[in-house]
Structure formats: C-alpha cells, structure tokens
Amino acid sequence: MRHGWTWLLPLLAVAAMVTGCGARPAPVTGEGLRVGLAYDIGGRGDQSFNDAAAKGLDRAAKQLHIAKTQELEATAGESDQAKEQRLRLLAQQDFDPVIAVGFAYAKPLQKVAGEFPATRFALVDSSEATGANIANLVFAEHEGSYLVGAAAALKSRSGSVAFIGGANTPLIQKFLAGYQAGVARIDPKKKVLVQYLSQAPDFSGFSSPDKGQVAAKGLYQRGADVVFVAAGASSIGVFQAAHDLGKRAIGVDSDQYLQPALSAVKDVILTSMIKRVDTAVFDFIDDAGRKTFKAGEQNYDLKHDGVAYATSGGFVDDIGPRLEELRRAIANKDITVSTIPKAGT
C-alpha cells in the first residue's frame, strides 16, 4: 500500500468456512478479551494476506463482542528487534490473546512468548516458534496452488504460464511447488516461468505493486499468458499488467475478484488461491474466549476447506468438473502434492 496505490479500498474476503477442527459450536461471548494483532509488512489494506487476518479480527470483534482490539503494523526493512518490541508491547499492555501475522515473526515470537508464559499467542504461517502458549496456524498452500495451476494450464493458450513470489522463502516455495505440479498434471510440456520480487530477508516484494507490475509485464512479454502471484499487495500491480496487455492472472489468499477497489481490472482475475486466514484467526480468538486454547500446529488443509480456489466471475465454470475431480483426489490422498518446487525457468 505504498508507492502511490493508496486509493485502494479494504479487501472483502470470502465468508469463513469449516476448518481442520471440523464443525464448530456456536461462538460464545468474548467479553473481557483484549485481542492484539501484529501485522506483516503491508498491514491492513494490502488487499490480500493481512486483510484476510483483519477480516477474522473484525468478525471476532463483532460476533464475540470482545472488549478491546489493538492492531500494530510492520515497517519495510525492519529488524527482528522491532517485531519483538511490537509483540512485547501488546503483551505488556495485557492483550491476550496476541496474533502475529506472518512467518517473519517466528524468531521474535519465540523469544517474547517465553517472557510472557501466561499470554496466549498465535503465529500465522509458521511452525518454527513452539511452546505451551503458542498456536501455529498453518495452511496447505501447495494443495490449493495445485488446483489453480491446473486451472492455469487448462485455460492457457500459450506454451508457458508464470509464477511471481513476493520473496524466495520456504513458504512461498510451497505455492510454487503446488502450482508447478498442477500445471504439469494437465500439460507436462508447458513451461512455468518463475520470478521473485525480493530475496529474504528483504520482504519488500510483498508490498510493492510497482515491482509486481514490472515483473508481470516481463513475464507476459516472454510468452506467459497466465501469471499466478503469491506476493501480497504486489498482486495489485500484476493485475494491472494483465489488464494492460490483455492477459490473465491468478490471485492469492482471498478471492480478489470480489475486491471493489479492483473492479476496473477484475475481469483479468481467472481465479484466486484462497487461504482461510480469516477463519483461522477467528477460530483462535473463539478458542481463547472458550478457554480451549490449543498449542501447536492447527493445519487448515484442502480436505477441511482451509484452502480453495475461487469461482467468482465464472471464468473457471467450464473446467469446474475437472478441478473438482482433482480437489477430491487430493482430499482423499489419491494425489499427494509436493512442497518442494522444481527448478524454475
């Protein structure tokens, strides 16, 4: 949301769904809860990952009637010490539970959680921080990405499709691995061009729509006609490039076709790989209100609708039966999707 793109409106994420814990009982009151949330780079308004977390917080605030919320944002290029300070501030001010959005918080959270053993923490997108007071909200990104990879291959009329990642990290590699496998399932001869917008520990690639636009333009010019972008707010620039060149793109984390601010370019969004971050955040807060906090991994996978592909716009309706066939095969473990990508082009 930097670089002059401040005209965008907040993301409208899809409705919360059933998670890996199965059907949940009706929410209970969260009165008395003080919920703290620390965003990843891009913050509320990134149109993707952070906004999905915000959606879960907003839903909890409304439905659970929690006493108070506090949201703190990250800054580009900040140190682990800055992240520690943000989490520590929330815990010191008696916010409990506290949610850290993004894998970059793993090391800072490990330290701060040890300092505040009575505070319940959640870490979104990473299992690297562990402890009796840490819940790890993780997702099967590779499974959802497999389905949008299949969609890309089925819709592509070129010899190649492409992938743009915000930064070259193990998490983003999971998106790429699934996407490559889905493409190969449909057309083993089709190339998957790959480009990252930044290299860790530089995570600016998740909040740079201008970088996304330039990268996508280059990939389209190299022959790709569909680009899957896993780069947070940078997806905005990818959609603009697709619109300018008459190509297609695939969104990430939320159903980005439904984003009102993207109405001028939504017709290029073939589908989106949805991660139910909003559901995971809501569930975690709900568990805190029920005093049923669970430490460790809570995996939101395809079988339990933790990941999915979007159908808004009707662009994949004609290939829906094939995608559903693949979805069932993954859910039933007839297809195992690798988390390790092949060498990119």
Side-chain angles (χ1 to χ4, degrees):
M1 286 306 297
R2 313 298 182 256
H3 310 288
W5 294 80
T6 53
W7 52 272
L8 291 167
L9 301 175
L11 175 66
L12 292 181
V14 292
M17 304 292 288
V18 175
T19 74
C21 299
R24 297 176 64 85
V28 298
T29 180
E31 291 179 3
L33 281 184
R34 292 167 52 86
V35 182
L37 189 146
Y39 287 112
D40 201 353
I41 185 171
R44 182 187 279 266
D46 73 344
Q47 322 308 305
S48 184
F49 177 62
N50 286 287
D51 270 354
K55 177 78 171 183
L57 179 65
D58 291 346
R59 180 184 168 210
K62 181 178 180 179
Q63 295 188 13
L64 305 182
H65 309 292
I66 56 184
K68 184 177 178 62
T69 64
Q70 179 67 54
E71 303 169 50
L72 299 179
E73 296 205 4
T75 58
E78 70 178 15
S79 64
D80 278 356
Q81 288 71 28
K83 292 181 175 62
E84 287 178 18
Q85 183 178 5
R86 187 174 303 116
L87 297 173
R88 190 176 291 114
L89 179 63
L90 290 169
Q92 287 173 339
Q93 293 181 347
D94 296 325
F95 285 96
D96 175 28
V98 173
I99 302 157
V101 182
F103 60 83
Y105 279 100
K107 290 182 180 179
L109 179 58
Q110 186 73 71
K111 183 174 182 179
V112 175
E115 298 172 5
F116 297 90
T119 301
R120 295 161 292 182
F121 293 91
L123 176 60
V124 179
D125 266 358
S126 175
S127 298
E128 290 185 24
T130 58
N133 61 335
I134 301 174
N136 306 95
L137 311 181
V138 296
F139 302 83
E141 295 92 353
H142 53 303
E143 293 181 348
S145 297
Y146 184 103
L147 296 178
V148 300
L154 287 165
K155 287 292 187 176
S156 174
R157 296 297 178 265
S158 171
S160 62
V161 295
F163 173 86
I164 292 177
N168 191 351
T169 67
L171 175 67
I172 302 303
Q173 289 172 7
K174 285 176 65 181
F175 286 88
L176 173 58
Y179 185 65
Q180 288 175 323
V183 171
R185 177 77 177 202
I186 301 301
D187 185 354
K189 296 182 179 180
K190 192 176 293 291
K191 294 181 180 179
V192 178
L193 310 179
V194 179
Q195 185 167 341
Y196 292 100
L197 301 181
S198 62
Q199 295 292 324
D202 174 10
F203 298 119
S204 63
F206 292 102
S207 58
S208 302
D210 50 353
K211 290 183 180 180
Q213 185 170 0
V214 171
K217 182 178 179 181
L219 291 167
Y220 289 130
Q221 290 175 339
R222 289 174 59 189
D225 58 352
V226 181
V227 173
F228 175 34
V229 53
S234 298
S235 63
I236 300 162
V238 175
F239 300 146
Q240 188 63 54
H243 175 74
D244 293 345
L245 297 175
K247 305 297 184 180
R248 292 282 196 182
I250 295 173
V252 73
D253 292 334
S254 299
D255 186 347
Q256 295 190 288
Y257 179 91
L258 298 179
Q259 172 65 5
L262 295 174
S263 60
V265 296
K266 68 179 182 180
D267 286 346
V268 309
I269 304 176
L270 178 66
T271 181
S272 296
M273 201 295 282
I274 299 173
K275 282 174 59 172
R276 311 287 189 193
V277 177
D278 56 335
T279 303
V281 167
F282 178 87
D283 288 352
F284 171 70
I285 297 170
D286 188 29
D287 284 340
R290 297 175 185 279
K291 303 186 186 305
T292 55
F293 168 84
K294 300 181 289 293
E297 279 197 9
Q298 290 156 48
N299 192 0
Y300 290 75
D301 62 7
L302 188 146
K303 182 177 181 179
H304 298 96
D305 204 36
V307 294
Y309 66 93
T311 59
S312 298
F315 304 126
V316 296
D317 287 356
D318 58 328
I319 59 173
R322 179 65 169 135
L323 296 180
E324 282 302 299
E325 176 188 333
L326 295 172
R327 184 192 64 78
R328 288 192 297 269
I330 295 171
N332 294 334
K333 306 302 181 184
D334 295 326
I335 294 177
T336 301
V337 184
S338 174
T339 60
I340 307 300
K342 298 178 180 178
T345 302

